[in-house]
Amino acid sequence: MEPLTTIVQGCMRNLPGYQKQLYEKYYGYALKTVFRYIYRYDKAVDVVNDGFVKLFSHFSRFNCQEPEHLEKILMGWIKKIMINTAIDELRRQNMLPEIGGIPEYVWEEADSQQTAEQRLYYKELILEVKQLPPSYRIVFNMYVIDGFSHQEIAGQLGISVGTSKSNLAKARAHLQKKLNSDIGEADICSS
């Protein structure tokens, strides 16, 4: 595989070989991003492919002022395009979530610095996030995981800023309640 700078330059010139290399290199990352919004594998794959079509058709807009941070900036751009494409699909489906099985590898955290206990808490949290009502889950993902502001969320989803804040507060309350009750049950069992 070519160096990333060469791949990006090839994509800017619309060369299919370089587009294929970029696609193969970041497909998993894109799929993982989309899975936070669309849970049905076949639909998520379609959204990722649509996202890459958008990415390649607008690659001339990609601008990296800091070449030493090329990969980080590129991944941020890919993430933004994939999230927007997923939200567009959810909007077309009237914000109904795509329910289906999600392969567990999608949720695995690649942080080798985590302790076994931290990995367990992470998996528990992800299981609970997957159970949130769709409107709460989307706002939670966009705000907490993807770093959107409430103003950006409101604009993307066509809701008010107040609704975005309310959905986030309700999502957090639901997660806290569920995780606290699970911890409480664990304490009762260990007595």
Side-chain angles (χ1 to χ4, degrees):
M1 184 167 279
E2 300 282 337
L4 187 55
T5 53
T6 305
I7 293 171
V8 168
Q9 290 168 354
C11 289
M12 287 184 158
R13 292 191 320 258
N14 239 3
L15 300 173
Y18 292 107
Q19 291 174 333
K20 180 181 180 198
Q21 287 183 50
L22 187 93
Y23 177 86
E24 290 172 351
K25 182 174 179 66
Y26 293 105
Y27 177 83
Y29 172 74
L31 188 59
K32 191 174 186 178
T33 300
V34 168
F35 263 139
R36 289 198 309 267
Y37 296 90
I38 298 180
Y39 285 6
R40 209 173 80 212
Y41 181 79
D42 59 331
K43 181 59 78 174
V45 167
D46 289 343
V47 169
V48 167
N49 288 331
D50 290 347
F52 273 107
V53 168
K54 288 179 184 179
L55 181 126
F56 292 132
S57 65
H58 296 98
F59 217 94
S60 61
R61 295 181 186 170
F62 179 70
N63 187 9
C64 181
Q65 298 295 328
E66 303 173 40
E68 66 275 6
H69 300 292
L70 175 63
E71 185 165 39
K72 183 178 178 182
I73 293 168
L74 178 63
M75 288 177 74
W77 193 57
I78 291 170
K79 180 179 179 181
K80 183 177 180 178
I81 289 172
M82 293 303 156
I83 291 169
N84 290 337
T85 306
I87 290 170
D88 288 346
E89 180 61 25
L90 289 171
R91 212 181 272 132
R92 275 193 290 280
Q93 300 294 326
N94 295 319
M95 300 303 287
L96 296 175
E98 291 293 330
I99 304 297
I102 300 175
E104 284 307 309
Y105 72 85
V106 170
W107 299 102
E108 290 175 8
E109 187 64 31
D111 187 356
S112 61
Q113 302 297 323
Q114 287 184 332
T115 65
E117 185 177 14
Q118 288 171 326
R119 284 192 296 273
L120 180 63
Y121 286 141
Y122 175 79
K123 286 186 178 189
E124 286 178 34
L125 177 62
I126 293 304
L127 287 174
E128 292 306 322
V129 169
K130 292 191 308 189
Q131 299 302 317
L132 287 171
S135 58
Y136 299 174
R137 184 179 57 242
I138 291 168
V139 171
F140 182 86
N141 281 339
M142 291 181 77
Y143 187 85
V144 174
I145 298 173
D146 295 320
F148 285 85
S149 70
H150 285 294
Q151 190 72 31
E152 292 170 318
I153 294 168
Q156 287 279 350
L157 300 181
I159 60 176
S160 71
V161 171
T163 300
S164 176
K165 290 179 179 180
S166 173
N167 286 351
L168 178 63
K170 290 174 183 176
R172 284 180 170 165
H174 176 81
L175 291 171
Q176 286 175 340
K177 180 181 176 185
K178 185 63 179 159
L179 292 174
N180 286 339
S181 71
D182 288 349
I183 291 170
E185 289 172 17
D187 290 343
I188 292 170
C189 293
S190 63
S191 305

